[in-house]
Amino acid sequence: MLSTLMKLLSACLWPSSSSSGKSSDSTGKQDGLLWYKDSGQHLVGEFSMAVVQANNLLEDQSQVESGPLSTLDSGPYGTFIGIYDGHGGPETSRFVNDHLFQHLKRFAAEHACMSVDVIKKAYEATEEGFLGVVTKQWPTKPQIAAVGSCCLVGVICGGMLYIANVGDSRAVLGRAMKATGEVIALQLSAEHNVSIESVRQEMHSLHPDDSHIVMLKHNVWRVKGLIQISRSIGDVYLKKAEFNKEPLYTKYRLREPFKRPILSGEPTITEHEIQPQDQFLIFASDGLWEQLSNQEAVDIVQNHPRNGIARRLVKMALQEAAKKREMRYSDLKKIERGVRRHFHDDITVVVIFLDTNQVSSVKGPPLSIRGGGMTFPKKL
């Protein structure tokens, strides 16, 4: 146990001697609407990553950053995972992909550590930054006010795992049970989707004077009959009344002005001490979880080779989507983007292995990779 914690602590506090230059892990491959990075190395193990596009414009964005988690050479060091599931367009998820990690590095430098407070401030700065974009573009592009994104983040640092979330993407841990050797699924992220009764109750308690704060529309629960999630980045039209008026499309405008934000951008953040029996983490947008249960996903990862495991999860989800529509998987793959959205959502999957028994030499060049093929060397 001590060696495990020292391994993770050292990865967080001290950089590798070869911490400059481009990592060979910063590449992926494209196969039609599928982008994948079958195998790569982060500071304390391997990872696998895959994205499949369904929307006309890819609304899912994602990133894995491994190495410095602040702007200071002194650290902290670790691995950052981000899954950003956009809706209404790709603008918010792209903005989050460009800015959230940079804010986190800045606040980690100010605090000289990683913490819940650092992550919360990074979310707040990202939300405020996108509000600035909406304010600037409102006169010429008012529909930007109705664009938003879920935002799931994982940070591995100093033997700790931090999970932050707004929206309904999900992080699941695969943990080995000592008695049986079985690997069980543990959901680590809290979800903010009003299909969940406790989330509906939360909305009613926050808005006791509004009996229509959550409405059942076409057999789906939605906030004000418009959106399924109660927390997000963006969606300014449901956070600030001055953006819920003409020239915003009528379908987004509420009949009565609101006095306080309807949606929240505040993340639910939890911290977990990584245990030796913690095998791997699955981070994914809700496109995966609409097709596979937590345990089904964990079983797939546990029972198959690591190489290409994220791509395998995407394939299994697509096979389930095809089965639901009583069609062949091979036929589903032929459907073009845009039309494909009628069969499944954009799906992003990142599998992070926690190889806590590896020697410290695992620390190689820093890594920065974005799902969908946008890759960058680390220069900071």
Side-chain angles (χ1 to χ4, degrees):
M1 177 64 180
L2 183 59
S3 62
T4 296
L5 294 178
M6 289 303 294
K7 164 72 181 83
L8 288 160
L9 185 61
S10 66
C12 184
L13 296 178
W14 298 288
S16 164
S17 59
S18 59
S19 60
S20 62
K22 184 175 180 179
S23 169
S24 60
D25 283 339
S26 296
T27 56
K29 295 181 180 180
Q30 192 84 30
D31 179 11
L33 296 177
L34 174 70
W35 176 94
Y36 59 94
K37 169 67 179 171
D38 276 345
S39 181
Q41 195 78 44
H42 69 104
L43 283 191
V44 292
E46 297 175 81
F47 76 94
S48 182
M49 195 171 182
V51 180
V52 67
Q53 182 175 347
N55 286 288
N56 191 41
L57 291 174
L58 179 66
E59 294 183 338
D60 273 17
Q61 301 291 316
S62 55
Q63 64 188 130
V64 175
E65 311 280 345
S66 199
L69 298 179
S70 87
T71 56
L72 302 176
D73 290 339
S74 56
Y77 285 75
T79 297
F80 172 98
I81 306 97
I83 305 285
Y84 318 124
D85 180 1
H87 48 264
E91 292 88 349
T92 313
S93 57
R94 289 175 180 174
F95 183 88
V96 176
N97 215 9
D98 288 340
H99 293 88
L100 178 60
F101 181 61
Q102 301 307 318
H103 287 310
L104 180 125
K105 289 172 68 175
R106 176 165 58 89
F107 288 118
E110 290 179 8
H111 289 245
C113 69
M114 185 55 58
S115 67
V116 168
D117 194 43
V118 164
I119 297 170
K120 183 178 180 181
K121 287 182 176 180
Y123 270 75
E124 290 172 348
T126 305
E127 171 87 325
E128 198 64 29
F130 191 71
L131 172 60
V133 171
V134 173
T135 302
K136 185 177 180 180
Q137 295 189 12
W138 172 256
T140 57
K141 190 182 176 183
Q143 310 317 319
I144 191 77
V147 180
S149 183
C150 301
C151 182
L152 170 65
V153 161
V155 180
I156 302 168
C157 184
M160 298 297 295
L161 168 65
Y162 301 87
I163 298 290
N165 195 40
V166 293
D168 56 7
S169 295
R170 188 180 302 173
V172 172
L173 170 70
R175 172 174 287 177
M177 302 303 291
K178 291 180 180 179
T180 63
E182 177 188 11
V183 177
I184 63 167
L186 295 175
Q187 183 171 326
L188 301 181
S189 54
E191 292 177 30
H192 311 112
N193 188 309
V194 292
S195 65
I196 303 168
E197 185 177 357
S198 61
V199 179
R200 294 199 299 274
Q201 291 174 347
E202 178 186 54
M203 291 300 289
H204 283 298
S205 65
L206 291 171
H207 304 272
D209 54 344
D210 187 353
S211 60
H212 297 104
I213 188 65
V214 181
M215 301 167 63
L216 192 61
K217 191 173 182 179
H218 304 302
N219 212 31
V220 177
W221 286 104
R222 297 180 185 273
V223 178
K224 302 300 290 184
L226 293 169
I227 188 169
Q228 290 180 262
I229 55 174
S230 62
R231 303 191 195 190
S232 68
I233 303 294
D235 293 311
V236 179
Y237 75 115
L238 290 176
K239 293 176 179 176
K240 292 189 175 291
E242 59 264 37
F243 296 107
N244 197 289
K245 61 183 182 181
E246 292 185 347
L248 188 69
Y249 291 153
T250 305
K251 65 178 181 178
Y252 295 124
R253 299 204 304 266
L254 302 180
R255 292 180 180 179
E256 298 179 0
F258 52 93
K259 297 179 181 179
R260 59 180 180 274
I262 294 170
L263 301 187
S264 168
E266 182 178 351
T268 299
I269 308 176
T270 56
E271 40 184 337
H272 313 265
E273 184 176 343
I274 297 175
Q275 305 295 325
Q277 60 267 34
D278 295 341
Q279 305 294 300
F280 53 83
L281 296 155
I282 305 171
F283 295 85
S285 56
D286 74 320
L288 180 80
W289 308 113
E290 287 173 354
Q291 311 298 339
L292 300 176
S293 71
N294 294 353
Q295 192 61 52
E296 284 172 337
V298 164
D299 289 344
I300 291 168
V301 176
Q302 176 63 18
N303 295 324
H304 293 90
R306 291 184 174 189
N307 188 58
I309 194 62
R311 184 155 53 110
R312 183 182 292 273
L313 282 168
V314 167
K315 180 179 179 179
M316 296 297 287
L318 294 181
Q319 288 177 338
E320 283 298 314
K323 188 187 300 182
K324 289 176 182 178
R325 299 298 289 268
E326 298 182 345
M327 64 188 301
R328 292 180 298 185
Y329 168 62
S330 58
D331 291 333
L332 175 64
K333 288 201 299 180
K334 296 173 185 175
I335 300 174
E336 295 297 319
R337 64 185 183 179
V339 178
R340 183 82 82 90
R341 182 62 182 88
H342 297 291
F343 298 83
H344 66 84
D345 199 353
D346 293 338
I347 301 174
T348 297
V349 179
V350 178
V351 180
I352 298 286
F353 291 97
L354 302 170
D355 298 329
T356 55
N357 60 335
Q358 289 189 5
V359 294
S360 59
S361 61
V362 70
K363 291 176 293 178
L367 167 78
S368 179
I369 184 166
R370 295 189 179 189
M374 299 175 63
T375 58
F376 308 89
K378 282 278 195 173
K379 295 182 179 179
L380 296 178

Short mmCIF file of all heavy atoms in Angstrom, two decimals, residues 327-356:
data_model
loop_
_atom_site.label_atom_id
_atom_site.label_comp_id
_atom_site.label_asym_id
_atom_site.label_seq_id
_atom_site.Cartn_x
_atom_site.Cartn_y
_atom_site.Cartn_z
N MET A 327 -31.43 -3.63 -36.87
CA MET A 327 -30.63 -3.52 -38.08
C MET A 327 -29.25 -4.09 -37.82
O MET A 327 -28.86 -4.33 -36.67
CB MET A 327 -30.53 -2.06 -38.53
CG MET A 327 -29.80 -1.16 -37.54
SD MET A 327 -29.89 0.60 -37.98
CE MET A 327 -29.15 0.62 -39.60
N ARG A 328 -28.51 -4.32 -38.90
CA ARG A 328 -27.17 -4.87 -38.76
C ARG A 328 -26.17 -3.76 -38.43
O ARG A 328 -26.30 -2.63 -38.92
CB ARG A 328 -26.75 -5.58 -40.04
CG ARG A 328 -27.54 -6.86 -40.32
CD ARG A 328 -27.08 -7.53 -41.59
NE ARG A 328 -27.28 -6.68 -42.77
CZ ARG A 328 -27.06 -7.08 -44.01
NH1 ARG A 328 -26.62 -8.31 -44.25
NH2 ARG A 328 -27.26 -6.26 -45.03
N TYR A 329 -25.18 -4.10 -37.64
CA TYR A 329 -24.12 -3.16 -37.28
C TYR A 329 -23.43 -2.64 -38.53
O TYR A 329 -23.12 -1.44 -38.65
CB TYR A 329 -23.13 -3.84 -36.34
CG TYR A 329 -21.83 -3.09 -36.10
CD1 TYR A 329 -21.83 -1.84 -35.51
CD2 TYR A 329 -20.61 -3.65 -36.47
CE1 TYR A 329 -20.65 -1.15 -35.29
CE2 TYR A 329 -19.42 -2.99 -36.25
CZ TYR A 329 -19.45 -1.73 -35.67
OH TYR A 329 -18.27 -1.06 -35.45
N SER A 330 -23.20 -3.52 -39.50
CA SER A 330 -22.53 -3.12 -40.74
C SER A 330 -23.34 -2.07 -41.51
O SER A 330 -22.77 -1.19 -42.16
CB SER A 330 -22.28 -4.34 -41.62
OG SER A 330 -23.50 -5.01 -41.91
N ASP A 331 -24.67 -2.15 -41.40
CA ASP A 331 -25.52 -1.16 -42.07
C ASP A 331 -25.52 0.17 -41.31
O ASP A 331 -25.55 1.24 -41.93
CB ASP A 331 -26.95 -1.68 -42.20
CG ASP A 331 -27.07 -2.82 -43.19
OD1 ASP A 331 -26.23 -2.88 -44.12
OD2 ASP A 331 -27.97 -3.67 -43.04
N LEU A 332 -25.50 0.09 -39.99
CA LEU A 332 -25.44 1.32 -39.18
C LEU A 332 -24.19 2.13 -39.52
O LEU A 332 -24.23 3.35 -39.64
CB LEU A 332 -25.45 0.97 -37.69
CG LEU A 332 -25.28 2.14 -36.71
CD1 LEU A 332 -26.45 3.11 -36.82
CD2 LEU A 332 -25.14 1.64 -35.28
N LYS A 333 -23.06 1.44 -39.69
CA LYS A 333 -21.80 2.13 -39.97
C LYS A 333 -21.82 2.88 -41.30
O LYS A 333 -21.02 3.80 -41.50
CB LYS A 333 -20.64 1.13 -39.98
CG LYS A 333 -20.27 0.60 -38.61
CD LYS A 333 -18.87 0.04 -38.58
CE LYS A 333 -18.69 -1.11 -39.56
NZ LYS A 333 -17.31 -1.64 -39.52
N LYS A 334 -22.73 2.51 -42.20
CA LYS A 334 -22.80 3.16 -43.51
C LYS A 334 -23.58 4.47 -43.47
O LYS A 334 -23.53 5.25 -44.42
CB LYS A 334 -23.46 2.21 -44.52
CG LYS A 334 -22.67 0.94 -44.78
CD LYS A 334 -23.46 -0.01 -45.66
CE LYS A 334 -22.74 -1.34 -45.84
NZ LYS A 334 -23.57 -2.32 -46.61
N ILE A 335 -24.31 4.70 -42.37
CA ILE A 335 -25.15 5.90 -42.28
C ILE A 335 -24.28 7.13 -42.04
O ILE A 335 -23.38 7.11 -41.19
CB ILE A 335 -26.19 5.74 -41.15
CG1 ILE A 335 -27.08 4.53 -41.44
CG2 ILE A 335 -27.02 7.01 -41.00
CD1 ILE A 335 -28.04 4.20 -40.32
N GLU A 336 -24.54 8.20 -42.78
CA GLU A 336 -23.73 9.40 -42.70
C GLU A 336 -24.02 10.20 -41.43
O GLU A 336 -25.07 10.05 -40.81
CB GLU A 336 -23.99 10.27 -43.94
CG GLU A 336 -23.54 9.64 -45.25
CD GLU A 336 -22.05 9.41 -45.29
OE1 GLU A 336 -21.29 10.30 -44.83
OE2 GLU A 336 -21.62 8.34 -45.76
N ARG A 337 -23.06 11.06 -41.09
CA ARG A 337 -23.24 11.96 -39.94
C ARG A 337 -24.48 12.81 -40.16
O ARG A 337 -24.90 13.07 -41.30
CB ARG A 337 -22.01 12.84 -39.78
CG ARG A 337 -21.78 13.77 -40.94
CD ARG A 337 -20.50 14.53 -40.80
NE ARG A 337 -20.34 15.47 -41.91
CZ ARG A 337 -19.33 16.29 -42.04
NH1 ARG A 337 -18.35 16.29 -41.16
NH2 ARG A 337 -19.27 17.13 -43.06
N GLY A 338 -25.08 13.25 -39.08
CA GLY A 338 -26.34 13.98 -39.17
C GLY A 338 -27.50 13.02 -39.11
O GLY A 338 -28.22 12.98 -38.11
N VAL A 339 -27.67 12.21 -40.16
CA VAL A 339 -28.70 11.17 -40.15
C VAL A 339 -28.41 10.17 -39.05
O VAL A 339 -29.31 9.64 -38.39
CB VAL A 339 -28.79 10.47 -41.52
CG1 VAL A 339 -29.84 9.35 -41.48
CG2 VAL A 339 -29.10 11.47 -42.62
N ARG A 340 -27.13 9.92 -38.81
CA ARG A 340 -26.69 8.95 -37.79
C ARG A 340 -27.22 9.32 -36.40
O ARG A 340 -27.42 8.46 -35.55
CB ARG A 340 -25.16 8.89 -37.79
CG ARG A 340 -24.55 7.86 -36.83
CD ARG A 340 -24.53 6.47 -37.40
NE ARG A 340 -23.42 6.23 -38.30
CZ ARG A 340 -22.22 5.76 -37.91
NH1 ARG A 340 -21.99 5.48 -36.64
NH2 ARG A 340 -21.28 5.54 -38.79
N ARG A 341 -27.46 10.61 -36.17
CA ARG A 341 -27.91 11.06 -34.85
C ARG A 341 -29.26 10.48 -34.49
O ARG A 341 -29.61 10.38 -33.30
CB ARG A 341 -27.97 12.60 -34.81
CG ARG A 341 -28.38 13.16 -33.44
CD ARG A 341 -27.37 12.77 -32.37
NE ARG A 341 -27.77 13.25 -31.06
CZ ARG A 341 -28.54 12.58 -30.22
NH1 ARG A 341 -29.05 11.40 -30.57
NH2 ARG A 341 -28.82 13.08 -29.04
N HIS A 342 -30.06 10.04 -35.47
CA HIS A 342 -31.35 9.42 -35.19
C HIS A 342 -31.18 8.01 -34.61
O HIS A 342 -32.14 7.42 -34.11
CB HIS A 342 -32.20 9.35 -36.46
CG HIS A 342 -32.55 10.69 -37.02
ND1 HIS A 342 -33.42 11.55 -36.40
CD2 HIS A 342 -32.12 11.34 -38.15
CE1 HIS A 342 -33.54 12.66 -37.11
NE2 HIS A 342 -32.76 12.56 -38.19
N PHE A 343 -29.96 7.47 -34.70
CA PHE A 343 -29.69 6.11 -34.24
C PHE A 343 -28.87 6.08 -32.95
O PHE A 343 -29.02 5.18 -32.13
CB PHE A 343 -28.99 5.32 -35.34
CG PHE A 343 -29.81 5.17 -36.59
CD1 PHE A 343 -29.86 6.17 -37.55
CD2 PHE A 343 -30.56 4.02 -36.79
CE1 PHE A 343 -30.63 6.03 -38.69
CE2 PHE A 343 -31.34 3.87 -37.94
CZ PHE A 343 -31.37 4.89 -38.89
N HIS A 344 -27.97 7.05 -32.81
CA HIS A 344 -27.19 7.15 -31.56
C HIS A 344 -26.57 8.53 -31.48
O HIS A 344 -26.54 9.28 -32.46
CB HIS A 344 -26.09 6.06 -31.50
CG HIS A 344 -25.02 6.21 -32.54
ND1 HIS A 344 -23.93 7.04 -32.38
CD2 HIS A 344 -24.87 5.64 -33.77
CE1 HIS A 344 -23.16 6.97 -33.45
NE2 HIS A 344 -23.71 6.13 -34.31
N ASP A 345 -26.08 8.88 -30.32
CA ASP A 345 -25.45 10.18 -30.07
C ASP A 345 -23.96 10.09 -30.42
O ASP A 345 -23.42 9.00 -30.63
CB ASP A 345 -25.64 10.54 -28.59
CG ASP A 345 -25.45 12.03 -28.31
OD1 ASP A 345 -25.05 12.78 -29.23
OD2 ASP A 345 -25.69 12.45 -27.17
N ASP A 346 -23.28 11.26 -30.47
CA ASP A 346 -21.83 11.24 -30.45
C ASP A 346 -21.40 10.44 -29.22
O ASP A 346 -22.02 10.55 -28.15
CB ASP A 346 -21.25 12.66 -30.31
CG ASP A 346 -21.51 13.54 -31.52
OD1 ASP A 346 -21.76 13.00 -32.61
OD2 ASP A 346 -21.46 14.78 -31.37
N ILE A 347 -20.35 9.65 -29.35
CA ILE A 347 -19.86 8.84 -28.22
C ILE A 347 -18.37 9.09 -28.04
O ILE A 347 -17.59 8.95 -29.00
CB ILE A 347 -20.10 7.34 -28.45
CG1 ILE A 347 -21.59 7.04 -28.64
CG2 ILE A 347 -19.54 6.52 -27.28
CD1 ILE A 347 -21.88 5.59 -29.01
N THR A 348 -17.97 9.45 -26.84
CA THR A 348 -16.57 9.61 -26.50
C THR A 348 -16.24 8.71 -25.31
O THR A 348 -16.98 8.70 -24.32
CB THR A 348 -16.24 11.07 -26.13
OG1 THR A 348 -16.46 11.90 -27.27
CG2 THR A 348 -14.80 11.22 -25.67
N VAL A 349 -15.15 7.96 -25.41
CA VAL A 349 -14.72 7.06 -24.34
C VAL A 349 -13.23 7.23 -24.09
O VAL A 349 -12.44 7.23 -25.04
CB VAL A 349 -15.00 5.58 -24.70
CG1 VAL A 349 -14.53 4.67 -23.57
CG2 VAL A 349 -16.48 5.35 -24.97
N VAL A 350 -12.86 7.37 -22.84
CA VAL A 350 -11.45 7.34 -22.42
C VAL A 350 -11.32 6.31 -21.30
O VAL A 350 -12.04 6.40 -20.30
CB VAL A 350 -10.95 8.71 -21.93
CG1 VAL A 350 -9.50 8.61 -21.46
CG2 VAL A 350 -11.07 9.78 -23.01
N VAL A 351 -10.45 5.33 -21.50
CA VAL A 351 -10.17 4.34 -20.46
C VAL A 351 -8.77 4.61 -19.91
O VAL A 351 -7.80 4.67 -20.66
CB VAL A 351 -10.25 2.90 -21.00
CG1 VAL A 351 -9.95 1.90 -19.88
CG2 VAL A 351 -11.63 2.64 -21.61
N ILE A 352 -8.70 4.80 -18.60
CA ILE A 352 -7.44 5.11 -17.93
C ILE A 352 -7.09 3.94 -17.01
O ILE A 352 -7.85 3.62 -16.08
CB ILE A 352 -7.57 6.39 -17.08
CG1 ILE A 352 -7.87 7.60 -17.97
CG2 ILE A 352 -6.31 6.63 -16.24
CD1 ILE A 352 -6.72 8.12 -18.78
N PHE A 353 -5.96 3.30 -17.26
CA PHE A 353 -5.51 2.21 -16.39
C PHE A 353 -4.65 2.76 -15.27
O PHE A 353 -3.84 3.67 -15.49
CB PHE A 353 -4.74 1.17 -17.21
CG PHE A 353 -5.63 0.40 -18.16
CD1 PHE A 353 -5.72 0.78 -19.49
CD2 PHE A 353 -6.39 -0.67 -17.71
CE1 PHE A 353 -6.55 0.10 -20.37
CE2 PHE A 353 -7.22 -1.37 -18.59
CZ PHE A 353 -7.30 -0.98 -19.92
N LEU A 354 -4.86 2.23 -14.08
CA LEU A 354 -4.14 2.68 -12.88
C LEU A 354 -3.09 1.63 -12.52
O LEU A 354 -3.33 0.75 -11.71
CB LEU A 354 -5.12 2.90 -11.72
CG LEU A 354 -6.23 3.91 -12.00
CD1 LEU A 354 -7.28 3.88 -10.90
CD2 LEU A 354 -5.66 5.31 -12.16
N ASP A 355 -1.94 1.73 -13.17
CA ASP A 355 -0.88 0.74 -12.96
C ASP A 355 0.01 1.19 -11.82
O ASP A 355 1.17 1.57 -12.00
CB ASP A 355 -0.07 0.57 -14.25
CG ASP A 355 -0.94 0.04 -15.38
OD1 ASP A 355 -1.89 -0.71 -15.09
OD2 ASP A 355 -0.67 0.38 -16.54
N THR A 356 -0.55 1.12 -10.61
CA THR A 356 0.14 1.66 -9.44
C THR A 356 1.34 0.84 -9.01
O THR A 356 2.12 1.26 -8.17
CB THR A 356 -0.84 1.75 -8.26
OG1 THR A 356 -1.44 0.46 -8.05
CG2 THR A 356 -1.94 2.76 -8.56
#
